[in-house]
């Protein structure tokens, strides 16, 4: 099968994720979209690894997973504490940084 | 001997210090202390003079270096004195006339509660004036120059409770500032051109200057002339002298007749080496002198205030001196000679005027005098001798000094010489007219005085001895000084080593000039007698011709200053303020407003929505990626 198809899929997934981050307001959904983008990247890495015949991409994919796991821990903790203080998981409500 | 020069200045300076800081406990004998110190200075001057006479003519200059005032790299301002024949002449005039006027002031200021302060100021003036004429460099001369300006300001405004006196003092100070700028610029030019401002460096360097430096020297000459115009009340900076008569009369006699106002003549004569190589500046000096000698004389004809009439006369006589100084080596000696004789007779005339005012309840209007010769015989005789001296009556001092100047003016040669000589001659005629007028209105005719506002009728009386003795001494000077100086050309030989002297090539013989001067003198006197002697003088001034009315207003000099300088200055300031508000402030405020507006718009990007930040991040990334790809494609 043509490996380029995997790259199209990765690009599609990344676009869906990016659109979700930009459009959705629910912090959990935004978060899931971020994960989707990360995994789209992972897919691209692995595909390139296969295409070039070395393991660099696969190694990077593992790194990404580790970083994503850590990010999930921190991110979810933040979302939960914001939800506790503001009774909302909408990202638009957390706008205290606005002038 | 050298140390005596320093003491000469130090004595009156000490007097000023003690009298001005000593407070009220010195009131009882402060005037005696001030007079004593002036006399000490005079005696020191006489000792130095005797010492100088004992030496040969080329070996008479004494120098005394005291200390370095401003030591900065090549800028070395020294405090040092130089006593040569020119300075000596001034020292004797200043301390001599100064001492007499100190003595006179004891009587004149007797009823003034600030008499101690007055003597302190007089001593300060003496010290500053001596510093001016004794300095061996222009920088120290400038210090003296400012010092006399300060003393003049303080003394004109001595009765500062009178608004007119306070204003007059301010006016004198401000007009003098304009001249002082000239002197400071001249000193700066000297320093950049010659690297020094000591007489010993600048004057020989000016003499040997090459053609490239002549333009600078002309500039220096013009700036020195500006300085002289301010200090010596020459056109166009003459307007302060008439108002300066608000000061006590001894001040008018000492500062505004005999000494300070002649500082400009000293400056030009001292800087003769510069003017000799700057003919354009010299022409300007002659022009200023000639214009002023006629200007002052015309003003003097119309004034009814005795002191203002004499002030116009002072202006005119200094015009003669400046003109003579502008003639170059043919005139320097005669400028100084007229300066000295003028010091005697004009101080005498002012003291006489003060004596008249003293006896007339401080009335200054000559139309309220009349017939005073019976009441004040000594004042009449001394004033009369001063009068004969100033109009140039043969044998008296003014005759010798003024005739020499008129002769030198003719000797300038060519058309210029005829014009200058003619103007000088005309000036002599007008001098005879206005001085005769003063004499007739004051001492002759019927008495015209009236009760003053409080109903007191003045009782004219002779002044006390402390006032009459100085007048008598000055009258002697007015009579004999000229003959003494002219005998065997003594004064010429005396000053020649300093100022240089050359006989001009006059188209007229000495006899012709003398005869011509006598004729115009008689015409002037006769005209004055026809107008003021033969028929009674009206107690209220008649309307007079257009010229008379203009002359009463000082030939519109104040109006001119008001219209051109005050109004012009106001318009200039207003337009500058407008420019400042519209242009400068416009740029500043405009920048601030546009930065503010821009940042107000930029601020909107900070909306607090995470997703809009994410859009900008995404956009930025897209731009970077696109750019990278584009670069790679190229």
């Amino acid at each position: 099968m043509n490996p380029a198809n995997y790259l199209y899929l990765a690009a599609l997934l990344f676009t869906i994720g990016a659109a979700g981050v930009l459009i959705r307001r629910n912090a959990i959904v935004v978060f899931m979209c971020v994960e989707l983008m990360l995994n789209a990247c992972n897919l691209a890495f692995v595909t390139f690894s296969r295409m070039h015949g070395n393991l660099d991409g696969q190694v990077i994919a593992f790194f990404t997973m580790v970083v994503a796991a850590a990010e999930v821990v921190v991110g979810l903790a933040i979302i939960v504490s914001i939800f506790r203080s503001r009774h909302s998981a909408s990202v638009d409500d957390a706008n205290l940084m606005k002038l | 001997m050298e140390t005596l020069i320093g003491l000469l200045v130090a004595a009156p300076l000490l007097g000023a210090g003690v009298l001005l800081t000593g407070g009220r406990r010195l009131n009882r004998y402060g005037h005696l202390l001030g007079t004593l110190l002036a006399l000490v200075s005079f005696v020191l001057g006489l000792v130095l003079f005797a010492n100088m006479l004992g030496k040969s003519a080329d070996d008479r200059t004494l120098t005394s270096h005291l200390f370095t005032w401003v030591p900065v790299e090549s800028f070395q301002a020294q405090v040092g004195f130089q006593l040569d024949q020119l300075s000596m002449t001034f020292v004797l005039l200043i301390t001599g006339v100064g001492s007499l006027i100190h003595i006179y002031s004891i009587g004149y200021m007797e009823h003034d509660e600030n008499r101690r302060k007055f003597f302190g100021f007089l001593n300060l003036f003496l010290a500053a004036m001596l510093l001016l004429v004794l300095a061996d460099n222009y920088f120290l001369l400038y210090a003296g120059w400012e010092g006399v300006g300060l003393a003049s300001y303080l003394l004109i405004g001595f009765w500062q409770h009178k608004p007119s006196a306070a204003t007059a003092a301010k006016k004198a100070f401000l007009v003098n500032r304009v001249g002082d700028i000239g002197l400071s610029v001249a000193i700066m030019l000297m320093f950049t051109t010659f690297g020094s401002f000591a007489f010993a460096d600048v004057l020989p360097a000016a003499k040997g200057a090459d053609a490239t430096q002549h333009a600078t020297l002309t500039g220096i000459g013009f700036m020195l002339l500006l300085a002289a115009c301010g200090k010596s009340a020459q056109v166009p900076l003459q307007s302060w002298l008439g108002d300066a008569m608000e000061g006590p009369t001894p001040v008018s006699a000492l500062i505004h007749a005999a000494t300070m106002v002649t500082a400009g003549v000293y400056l030009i004569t001292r800087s003769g080496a510069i003017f000799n190589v700057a003919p354009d500046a010299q022409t300007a000096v002659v022009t200023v002198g000639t214009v002023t000698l006629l200007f002052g004389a015309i003003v003097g004809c119309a004034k009814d205030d005795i002191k203002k009439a004499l002030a116009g006369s002072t202006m005119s006589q200094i015009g003669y001196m400046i003109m003579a100084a502008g003639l170059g080596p043919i005139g320097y000696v005669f400028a100084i000679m007229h300066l000295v004789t003028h010091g005697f007779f004009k101080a005498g005339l002012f003291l006489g005027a003060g004596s008249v005012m003293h006896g007339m309840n401080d009335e200054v209007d000559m139309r309220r005098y009349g017939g005073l010769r019976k009441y004040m015989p000594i004042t009449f005789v001394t004033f009369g001798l001063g009068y004969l001296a100033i109009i140039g009556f043969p044998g008296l001092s003014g005759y010798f000094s003024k005739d020499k100047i008129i002769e030198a003016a003719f000797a300038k040669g060519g058309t210029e010489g005829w014009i200058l000589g003619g103007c000088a001659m005309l000036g002599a005629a007008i001098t005879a007219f206005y001085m005769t007028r003063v004499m007739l209105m004051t001492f002759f005719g019927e008495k015209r005085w009236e009760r003053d506002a409080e109903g007191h009728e003045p009782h004219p009386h002779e002044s006390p001895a402390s006032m009459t003795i100085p007048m008598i001494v000055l009258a002697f000077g007015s009579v004999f000084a000229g003959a003494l100086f002219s005998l065997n050309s003594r004064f010429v030989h005396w000053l020649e080593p300093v100022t240089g002297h050359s006989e001009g090539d006059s188209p007229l013989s000495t006899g012709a000039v003398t005869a011509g001067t006598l004729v115009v003198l008689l015409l002037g006197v006769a005209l004055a007698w026809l107008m003021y002697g033969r028929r009674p003088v009206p107690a209220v001034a008649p309307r007079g011709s257009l010229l008379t009315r203009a002359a009463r207003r000082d030939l519109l000099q104040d109006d001119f200053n008001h219209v051109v300088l005050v109004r012009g200055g106001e318009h200039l300031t207003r337009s500058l303020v407008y420019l400042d508000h519209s242009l400068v402030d416009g740029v500043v405020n405009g920048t601030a407003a546009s930065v503010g507006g821009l940042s107000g718009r930029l601020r909107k990007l900070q909306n607090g929505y995470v997703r809009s930040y994410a859009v900008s991040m995404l956009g930025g990334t897209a731009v970077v990626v696109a750019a990278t790809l584009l670069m790679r494609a190229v």
Side-chain angles (χ1 to χ4, degrees), chain A residues 21-25 91-92 94-95 97-99, chain B residues 603 606-615 618:
Chain A
V21 167
L22 298 181
I23 292 165
R24 300 302 299 262
R25 296 192 185 157
V91 285
D92 286 2
N95 59 357
M97 292 284 275
K98 190 173 143 187
L99 250 143
Chain B
R603 201 185 57 180
Q606 188 86 0
N607 55 10
Y609 294 123
V610 177
R611 52 205 160 81
S612 67
Y613 302 157
V615 168
L618 187 73

Side-chain angles (χ1 to χ4, degrees), chain B residues 65-115:
Chain B
H65 179 252
L66 291 189
F67 57 92
T68 303
W69 181 12
V70 186
V72 182
E73 281 287 313
S74 62
F75 186 95
Q76 296 284 337
Q78 310 287 347
V79 173
F81 297 130
Q82 171 186 337
L83 184 70
D84 55 16
Q85 288 91 324
L86 181 59
S87 308
M88 193 71 239
T89 312
F90 270 90
V91 165
L92 288 180
L93 177 73
I94 295 160
T95 55
V97 176
S99 301
L100 287 174
I101 285 169
H102 273 76
I103 295 170
Y104 178 92
S105 307
I106 295 177
Y108 190 84
M109 301 297 284
E110 196 174 358
H111 306 296
D112 198 299
E113 56 184 23
N114 288 325
R115 182 161 65 161

Side-chain angles (χ1 to χ4, degrees), chain B residues 381-394:
Chain B
V381 172
T382 53
F383 195 95
L385 289 173
Y387 154 74
L388 289 177
I390 193 175
I391 64 171
F393 190 79

Side-chain angles (χ1 to χ4, degrees), chain A residues 32-50:
Chain A
M32 278 156 53
C33 290
V34 171
E35 292 302 315
L36 195 56
M37 285 157 75
L38 283 170
N39 283 310
C41 291
N42 275 351
L43 182 57
F45 274 128
V46 172
T47 312
F48 283 130
S49 174
R50 172 86 182 182

